[in-house]
């Protein structure tokens, strides 16, 4: 009897499925056609018109297919429920769950690298103001330099933070031509010691690293709490950064503060690091210029970082382009968003289709706002010199580290120029970065 009922259910589902496909075909067969097809001359005047028609048809198809998938899901769920009722109770009923099983949020400390800036108070005040939980986000301030005024400022926060001090303040022997870079050697030594304390002494699974002249956004902690599981689950990622090197106010879409990107460039200035990666980096940690060292291809090994459209950190007291980076002011509930689009397979498919599906435009036409009706566009470079020239003309950072442009992914740098999205990109046949491009 059960077999007959199950077979009837399957037959009923199959009939529904076939009927739905017939309706789907009927939908497209009976679609009203345009009253007049565009002439050849019209297509010549607007070569994107045919593309738009194809895209529109594809979008309609996706809508109908999505409805079809929904119906199939309903058929499946219905068959499962019916099957469960027909089977009757099992010999040993399952033990009812005691409640939803949820893992506690990870404890992610914030490591503040400090030296001789008493203005560290500004950084700490913002961290403490926006911190949602002292238990989940303990703050550790690691101080180098032995500067007493700064030490007193840090100590004034009492038990709200943990204050540790770099014990080795000695002068470092450096090559004669690096004497003016003594400070960079001390910074690299301090970073190694401080990160060692976080992972070896305190034994935390991850850490967010900021420097003492950074101010954080209202959703700084929310951002890292949401991206931490993705970083841990996706082996193609090796860090999460709160910084966009091209994040000046006129170059970001302020209406979309939730936008996140993959990048091949290590941004720094507020970044999340896993203990597993530190175990990989620590034995070969450089004596100086640690951030440039992190940007070398051999360290990254093909892995990417995440970065936001609008920065979650902002420097104060620094000169140059750093002081013009826009700090996000709108809280984005990242932990409630679906961030699976950032996984490599999905991201590469969608991002590359978007970039190389955009109309190709010359730099001067972008600069003079010609063909605004095209929406987002692509500007192509084919050499180191053309990248630098085009980047400078469009206002983005033009320096390269081992061939990787700042904020770039697969050689592509995306930004806003006079309100329009522009992708500065290599040819679609791009085969990888050229380390000689510096």
């Amino acid at each position: 009897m059960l077999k007959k009922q199950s077979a009837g259910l399957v037959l009923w589902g199959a009939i529904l499925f076939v009927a739905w496909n017939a309706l789907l075909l009927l939908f497209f067969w009976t679609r009203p056609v345009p009253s007049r097809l565009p002439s050849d001359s019209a297509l010549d005047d607007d070569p994107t018109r045919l593309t738009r028609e194809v895209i529109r048809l594809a979008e309609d198809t996706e809508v109908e297919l999505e409805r079809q998938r929904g119906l199939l899901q309903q058929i499946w769920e219905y068959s499962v429920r019916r099957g469960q009722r027909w089977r009757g109770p099992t010999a040993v009923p399952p033990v009812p769950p005691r409640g939803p099983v949820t893992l506690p949020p990870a404890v992610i400390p914030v490591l503040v690298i400090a030296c001789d800036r008493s203005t560290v108070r500004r950084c700490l005040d913002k961290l403490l103001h926006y911190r949602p939980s002292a238990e989940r986000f303990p703050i550790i301030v690691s101080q180098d330099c032995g500067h007493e005024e700064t030490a007193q400022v840090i100590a004034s926060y009492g038990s709200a933070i943990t204050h540790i001090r770099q014990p080795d303040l000695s002068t470092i022997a450096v090559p004669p031509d690096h004497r003016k870079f003594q400070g960079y050697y001390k910074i690299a030594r301090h970073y190694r010691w401080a990160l060692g304390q976080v992972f070896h002494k305190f034994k935390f699974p991850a850490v967010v690293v900021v420097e003492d002249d950074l101010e954080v956004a209202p959703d700084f902690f929310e951002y890292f709490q949401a991206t931490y599981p993705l970083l841990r689950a996706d082996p193609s990622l090796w860090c999460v950064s709160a910084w966009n090197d091209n994040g000046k106010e006129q170059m970001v879409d302020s209406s979309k503060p939730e936008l996140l990107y993959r990048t091949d460039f290590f941004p720094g200035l507020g970044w999340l690091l896993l203990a597993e990666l530190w175990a990989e980096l620590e034995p070969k940690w450089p004596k100086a210029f640690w951030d440039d060292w992190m940007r070398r291809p051999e360290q990254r090994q093909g892995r990417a970082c995440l970065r936001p459209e609008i920065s979650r950190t902002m420097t104060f007291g620094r000169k140059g382009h750093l002081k013009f980076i826009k700090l996000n002011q709108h809280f984005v509930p990242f932990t409630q968003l679906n961030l699976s689009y950032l996984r490599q397979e999905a991201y590469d498919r969608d991002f590359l289709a978007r970039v190389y599906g955009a109309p190709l435009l010359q730099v001067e036409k972008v600069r003079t706002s010609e063909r605004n009706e095209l929406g987002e566009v692509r500007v192509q470079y084919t050499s180191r010199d053309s990248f630098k020239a085009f980047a400078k003309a469009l206002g983005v950072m033009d320096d390269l580290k081992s061939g990787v442009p700042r904020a770039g992914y697969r050689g592509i740098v995306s930004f806003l120029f006079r309100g329009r999205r522009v992708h500065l990109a290599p040819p679609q046949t791009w085969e990888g970065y050229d380390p000689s491009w510096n």
Side-chain angles (χ1 to χ4, degrees):
M1 180 66 180
L2 288 180
K3 289 184 178 179
K4 291 182 179 179
Q5 289 175 321
S6 298
L9 180 62
V10 172
L11 178 61
W12 173 242
I15 291 171
L16 284 177
F17 180 68
V18 172
W20 182 256
N21 275 276
L23 288 174
L24 181 64
L25 290 173
L26 182 62
F27 169 80
F28 288 108
W29 284 342
T30 59
R31 283 177 60 86
V33 297
S35 58
R36 187 174 64 87
L37 292 175
S39 64
D40 291 342
S41 60
L43 290 176
D44 291 338
D45 293 338
D46 186 1
T48 64
R49 184 170 180 180
L50 180 58
T51 301
R52 290 198 300 270
E53 286 298 315
V54 172
I55 291 174
R56 182 172 60 80
L57 180 59
E59 289 173 345
D60 291 344
T61 304
E62 283 297 320
V63 170
E64 294 306 318
L65 288 176
E66 186 62 31
R67 292 176 182 174
Q68 184 177 358
R69 283 192 290 266
L71 179 61
L72 288 174
Q73 181 65 26
Q74 292 177 28
I75 293 172
W76 169 252
E77 292 174 355
Y78 179 71
S79 66
V80 170
R81 289 196 299 270
R82 289 292 298 270
Q84 288 174 344
R85 289 200 295 269
W86 290 335
R87 280 196 299 271
T90 57
V92 181
V95 178
R98 297 181 179 179
V101 178
T102 57
L103 297 176
V107 176
I108 308 174
V110 177
L111 174 65
V112 181
I113 300 293
C115 182
D116 57 359
R117 293 189 181 109
S118 58
T119 52
V120 66
R121 183 182 299 278
R122 179 173 170 180
C123 172
L124 294 176
D125 285 348
K126 282 299 177 73
L127 286 170
L128 291 171
H129 178 69
Y130 292 129
R131 181 173 65 170
S133 166
E135 291 73 26
R136 282 165 35 215
F137 297 101
I139 297 174
I140 303 170
V141 184
S142 180
Q143 186 189 359
D144 198 0
C145 308
H147 190 252
E148 190 55 34
E149 182 183 352
T150 302
Q152 291 176 5
V153 170
I154 298 170
S156 70
Y157 288 87
S159 60
I161 65 171
T162 299
H163 184 191
I164 61 177
R165 300 197 191 198
Q166 154 73 296
D168 186 0
L169 303 180
S170 63
T171 300
I172 301 175
V174 301
D177 58 340
H178 274 204
R179 287 175 183 170
K180 63 180 179 180
F181 300 126
Q182 173 78 213
Y184 291 96
Y185 282 79
K186 290 186 176 181
I187 290 172
R189 178 177 66 184
H190 184 200
Y191 262 87
R192 180 171 186 169
W193 179 82
L195 289 169
Q197 294 293 297
V198 168
F199 293 123
H200 301 316
K201 179 180 178 180
F202 299 115
K203 300 187 183 303
F204 286 113
V207 65
V208 175
V209 185
V210 300
E211 296 186 6
D212 56 1
D213 63 344
L214 290 184
E215 183 176 329
V216 302
D219 57 359
F220 175 84
F221 293 96
E222 174 79 0
Y223 171 66
F224 284 115
Q225 183 180 341
T227 53
Y228 171 77
L230 185 61
L231 177 62
R232 184 161 290 286
D234 189 345
S236 71
L237 294 174
W238 77 312
C239 82
V240 176
S241 173
W243 182 260
N244 177 4
D245 280 295
N246 292 312
K248 297 179 182 179
E249 185 165 11
Q250 70 273 20
M251 302 182 72
V252 296
D253 190 344
S254 298
S255 68
K256 297 181 179 178
E258 74 282 1
L259 285 180
L260 304 181
Y261 299 86
R262 294 174 69 99
T263 177
D264 295 322
F265 191 90
F266 171 68
L269 294 178
W271 51 288
L272 172 62
L273 172 71
L274 296 180
E276 295 90 327
L277 180 58
W278 177 244
E280 177 185 318
L281 297 174
E282 185 180 21
K284 49 186 180 179
W285 192 254
K287 294 182 178 180
F289 311 109
W290 69 271
D291 48 350
D292 284 343
W293 176 81
M294 290 274 282
R295 291 164 183 148
R296 294 178 183 173
E298 62 267 26
Q299 312 308 337
R300 215 168 36 84
Q301 295 181 356
R303 294 166 293 184
C305 290
L306 298 181
R307 70 160 179 89
E309 168 82 354
I310 306 175
S311 291
R312 264 59 191 182
T313 55
M314 179 186 72
T315 65
F316 55 87
R318 297 198 197 188
K319 298 179 180 180
H321 85 285
L322 296 178
K323 68 179 181 180
F324 296 110
I325 299 298
K326 177 180 173 60
L327 180 68
N328 180 60
Q329 296 297 332
H330 302 284
F331 186 92
V332 175
F334 282 109
T335 56
Q336 300 175 30
L337 302 182
N338 182 359
L339 302 182
S340 61
Y341 72 93
L342 293 165
R343 290 180 176 272
Q344 185 175 25
E345 183 177 354
Y347 188 88
D348 285 3
R349 180 190 65 241
D350 298 338
F351 180 68
L352 295 179
R354 177 181 175 184
V355 170
Y356 290 103
L360 184 62
L361 219 59
Q362 294 180 344
V363 173
E364 282 309 309
K365 290 188 176 181
V366 175
R367 283 171 52 82
T368 55
S369 298
E370 290 187 25
R371 304 294 298 277
N372 272 336
E373 75 278 5
L374 296 179
E376 62 183 273
V377 297
R378 174 168 49 99
V379 173
Q380 183 169 293
Y381 68 89
T382 56
S383 67
R384 170 188 174 276
D385 292 340
S386 62
F387 170 80
K388 284 183 168 289
F390 297 163
K392 188 170 295 185
L394 296 170
V396 299
M397 297 196 70
D398 65 341
D399 62 322
L400 300 146
K401 302 292 184 182
S402 299
V404 185
R406 289 183 182 267
Y409 183 69
R410 294 182 60 87
I412 303 163
V413 180
S414 298
F415 55 94
L416 286 192
F417 185 84
R418 297 179 182 173
R420 177 165 59 183
R421 178 67 60 181
V422 176
H423 305 289
L424 181 56
Q428 195 166 1
T429 54
W430 182 84
E431 295 180 351
Y433 296 106
D434 185 344
S436 67
W437 287 20
N438 279 311

